[in-house]
Amino acid sequence: MSLSVSTVATTPYDGQKPGTSGLRKRVVVFQQEHYTENFVQAIFTAMPAPGPKNAVLVVGGDGRYFVKDAVQKIVRIGAANGIAKFIIGQNGILSTPAASAVIRKRQADGGIILTASHNPGGPTNDFGIKYNMRNGGPAPEAVTDAIYAATRSISEYRVADIGGSVDLATVGTQRFAGFEVEIIDPVSDYVELLRGIFDFDLIKRFREQTPDFKLLFDALNGVTGPYARRIFVDELGFPESSLDQCEPLEDFGGSHPDPNLTYAHNLVHRVESEAISFGAASDGDGDRNMVMSHDWFVTPSDSVALIAHYAAECIPYFKRTGLRGLARSMPTSCAIDRVASAKGLDVFEVPTGWKFFGNLMDAGRLSICGEESFGTGSDHIREKDGIWAVVAWLNIIAHVNQATPGASVRSIMQGFYSLYGRNYFTRYDYEEVESDGAAKMVDRLRSFASDDSGSAVSGLVGKCFNGYTVAKVDDFEYTDPIDHSVSKRQGIRVIFEDSSRIIFRLSGTGSQGATVRIYIERFDPSQFDMDAQIALKPLVDAALEISQLEQFTGRKEPTVIT
């Protein structure tokens, strides 16, 4: 029997331009007639050669509201465009790191991941769709630009009549006219991958020999709950009480699934009040992480640097491969640069967006990388990976305790600072700011940047703010060393004479309005125990004075301080 395909007339919707992590909008936007279908068809239209015909596509998401509906639409439209096989996580569930792992293991031609990451879920909140390439990583700008172009010119989309719906609940293969659907256990392939990366036996011995060590992992009712149970409880032997909020919910329990000190407040409270040795959280789709103890919070910038420092010493994967290079997003603190320098490794500074790490990994020049936005990962997949980072920390803690019994998160970080000094870092987020005011603020800041010759075009260079003298202002631009593509206007940097930095960016991860992010960093070679907000207050005040944020946005306080 041949596949019955219909053509549906449509017209373009404005604003279907994918950001750094796909297209994110409110659920009600995606529920508009033809809206989701238009974007999905645009993905298949722009799918890199040889295109969708006879291709294998991985599909899954973070379990938020509208995932199951979107999966059914993707199957019908994908089949009509020639997809030969869909590999779908059971019940539509597949964490972003696991999706990348499955794409790579199954040698699929790409994947569609249904997530708005750390944004709230539910009927009145956010949804997202992003396309990943056959390397398992997010689509590069050339592809997302092609998708956007297709959304602007679309006049019709193709849809297959499959005689009902795909059964997403039953693991196994379903065959239809012209294509098949394989429903997979969303956890197994990923657990197998991590088992080959880390020293699970070492971690288990440490747990058995250190009964006072307490782990608490909070999935924030996101996708990582089943992964955490399989790894921390079934594989590593931690008690079930080590897990909290590990049931994926369509609305994340009404909370904001963002692992930071503001939104992971339940974890923070429990870690501090119960004297938890090691607390961790992940976000809605599982690609972000936060780690802390009852007496220390590890910034994401410090976390990736610490992992890079110990990786080749104690993590089996890196003992086999060695470290090929390190990288960070531009706003991330320079702590990892110091590790790279000490170990004689290349270090790359890239724009925000995990896709910028992929080319370096594929070229064999990058092993470990991270973003200050709670994203950490390595070349085992092509996405950041929250559970990976948490297990890396457990591997490192177990290793350090072999030589120094009783070593804690705090003492391990203090040892790191004694070697490298401390890069004090904070980020101020102003969420859902009125877009016009935010844009005007950034345009004004951009006018302060140096021209191409490097000469100052404003009076900002040379000015002193609270004891810090401006040495340079620029708008970060990145030339990919592998494919030589150029990414411009990636964030305004105010760099001071002592190497301290203030960075201003508009984020593309929100679903409405604008999110203004301000990043502040300064290095101290000897003082390690200051509160970061106290250490950085003069620079925070300078940032607010330079940006005139309150005048442009009306905001007096940030939504989140990290």
Side-chain angles (χ1 to χ4, degrees):
M1 181 186 298
S2 61
L3 185 66
S4 175
V5 175
S6 302
T7 299
V8 180
T10 188
T11 56
Y13 278 94
D14 290 335
Q16 288 194 322
K17 182 176 177 60
T20 57
S21 296
L23 180 68
R24 294 181 187 171
K25 302 287 183 183
R26 294 294 198 213
V27 168
V28 293
V29 174
F30 278 99
Q31 289 175 325
Q32 295 175 96
E33 186 179 24
H34 306 313
Y35 189 93
T36 298
E37 290 86 347
N38 279 16
F39 190 73
V40 171
Q41 178 62 63
I43 289 174
F44 293 123
T45 299
M47 192 171 174
K53 189 170 180 59
N54 298 320
V56 176
L57 188 75
V58 173
V59 182
D62 59 13
R64 69 178 59 233
Y65 186 83
F66 198 60
V67 161
K68 292 178 182 178
D69 292 332
V71 170
Q72 301 290 350
K73 293 176 187 289
I74 290 165
V75 170
R76 289 186 176 93
I77 297 171
N81 280 270
I83 297 292
K85 181 174 183 176
F86 298 88
I87 301 172
I88 303 174
Q90 186 179 27
N91 295 315
I93 291 285
L94 205 57
S95 76
T96 294
S100 181
V102 171
I103 291 169
R104 293 172 64 81
K105 178 179 179 180
R106 303 294 188 95
Q107 296 184 323
D109 296 289
I112 295 179
I113 303 177
L114 305 169
T115 178
S117 189
H118 54 291
N119 293 4
T124 61
N125 283 309
D126 296 352
F127 188 72
I129 302 176
K130 75 169 187 172
Y131 177 68
N132 277 34
M133 306 287 282
R134 58 174 51 92
N135 73 344
E141 287 184 323
V143 175
T144 57
D145 287 347
I147 293 171
Y148 179 49
T151 70
R152 298 180 67 186
S153 62
I154 190 169
S155 60
E156 62 183 31
Y157 60 85
R158 294 163 59 82
V159 60
D161 179 2
I162 63 172
S165 299
V166 174
D167 176 5
L168 300 178
T170 304
V171 172
T173 299
Q174 302 164 49
R175 291 179 173 83
F176 300 85
F179 72 99
E180 66 180 36
V181 174
E182 182 185 357
I183 305 299
I184 63 169
D185 174 355
V187 179
S188 295
D189 286 346
Y190 179 79
V191 174
E192 179 185 348
L193 176 64
L194 261 60
R195 196 185 293 119
I197 292 173
F198 297 109
D199 193 338
F200 277 21
D201 289 338
L202 174 65
I203 299 171
K204 286 189 283 189
R205 286 197 303 273
F206 167 72
R207 176 190 56 76
E208 293 165 354
Q209 295 166 4
T210 318
D212 292 338
F213 182 86
K214 296 180 183 178
L215 165 71
L216 182 61
F217 179 83
D218 189 342
L220 299 176
N221 292 127
V223 75
T224 55
Y227 298 84
R229 181 167 283 105
R230 190 82 62 89
I231 293 169
F232 300 131
V233 177
D234 297 346
E235 291 282 339
L236 298 178
F238 286 98
E240 182 75 20
S241 59
S242 300
L243 307 181
D244 193 19
Q245 300 191 103
C246 280
E247 184 68 29
L249 300 175
E250 288 191 335
D251 66 349
F252 306 112
S255 63
H256 197 139
D258 194 354
N260 59 46
L261 295 173
T262 298
Y263 294 126
H265 50 83
N266 184 63
L267 174 75
V268 174
H269 171 73
R270 287 195 59 190
V271 167
E272 293 176 348
S273 64
E274 299 174 28
I276 299 293
S277 311
F278 182 67
S282 190
D283 67 332
D285 69 323
D287 64 353
R288 299 182 185 218
N289 75 95
M290 178 178 79
V291 295
M292 64 181 300
S293 66
H294 63 89
D295 60 354
W296 198 262
F297 168 69
V298 184
T299 70
S301 298
D302 282 351
S303 180
V304 66
L306 187 283
I307 292 171
H309 170 72
Y310 278 106
E313 182 178 320
C314 68
I315 296 176
Y317 176 83
F318 298 109
K319 291 170 79 171
R320 294 192 300 268
T321 67
L323 290 180
R324 302 183 179 98
L326 306 175
R328 61 173 172 83
S329 65
M330 179 271 288
T332 301
S333 93
C334 298
I336 197 170
D337 301 46
R338 300 181 188 282
V339 176
S341 177
K343 295 183 178 297
L345 299 170
D346 289 336
V347 63
F348 301 92
E349 181 181 41
V350 308
T352 296
W354 206 259
K355 59 191 175 186
F356 292 103
F357 296 123
N359 274 0
L360 295 165
M361 290 178 179
D362 289 344
R365 298 186 63 184
L366 175 59
S367 293
I368 293 175
C369 52
E371 297 179 332
E372 50 66 40
S373 52
F374 295 89
T376 318
S378 84
D379 60 351
H380 68 293
I381 57 173
R382 296 298 183 266
E383 290 277 7
K384 48 185 176 278
D385 191 344
I387 294 283
W388 176 92
V390 175
V391 180
W393 263 93
L394 289 173
N395 199 147
I396 290 166
I397 291 169
H399 168 74
V400 174
N401 269 266
Q402 289 182 304
T404 311
S408 64
V409 171
R410 181 188 180 96
S411 68
I412 290 170
M413 286 309 309
Q414 290 291 322
F416 177 85
Y417 296 145
S418 70
L419 288 174
Y420 297 106
R422 182 174 179 186
N423 287 75
Y424 285 94
F425 179 89
T426 191
R427 186 181 91 187
Y428 279 41
D429 291 358
Y430 299 81
E431 297 176 351
E432 296 190 355
V433 172
E434 195 276 317
S435 296
D436 187 56
K440 289 179 179 177
M441 184 193 79
V442 170
D443 286 343
R444 174 180 170 273
L445 290 168
R446 188 164 280 128
S447 73
F448 293 156
S450 301
D451 63 17
D452 291 339
S453 67
S455 62
V457 297
S458 77
L460 201 56
V461 172
K463 284 189 175 180
C464 185
F465 296 88
N466 301 325
Y468 293 86
T469 301
V470 177
K472 179 181 180 181
V473 184
D474 68 8
D475 196 350
F476 182 63
E477 180 176 309
Y478 176 70
T479 300
D480 190 297
I482 309 304
D483 66 14
H484 308 295
S485 61
V486 178
S487 300
K488 298 183 178 182
R489 294 191 163 195
Q490 295 297 314
I492 294 110
R493 302 187 296 183
V494 180
I495 302 171
F496 296 88
E497 289 182 349
D498 70 340
S499 79
S500 295
R501 302 189 303 162
I502 298 172
I503 295 157
F504 302 93
R505 285 186 64 250
L506 290 183
S507 172
T509 59
S511 65
Q512 67 177 26
T515 297
V516 177
R517 302 198 198 279
I518 304 177
Y519 314 79
I520 298 105
E521 173 188 11
R522 80 168 178 86
F523 175 71
D524 195 309
S526 57
Q527 298 295 319
F528 310 145
D529 282 321
M530 293 180 66
D531 180 280
Q533 296 307 313
I534 294 173
L536 295 168
K537 189 177 187 308
L539 285 166
V540 171
D541 292 343
L544 297 176
E545 180 181 349
I546 291 168
S547 65
Q548 298 181 12
L549 182 137
E550 184 177 349
Q551 294 93 310
F552 281 100
T553 69
R555 295 291 184 90
K556 293 185 177 181
E557 300 293 335
T559 313
V560 177
I561 297 176
T562 302

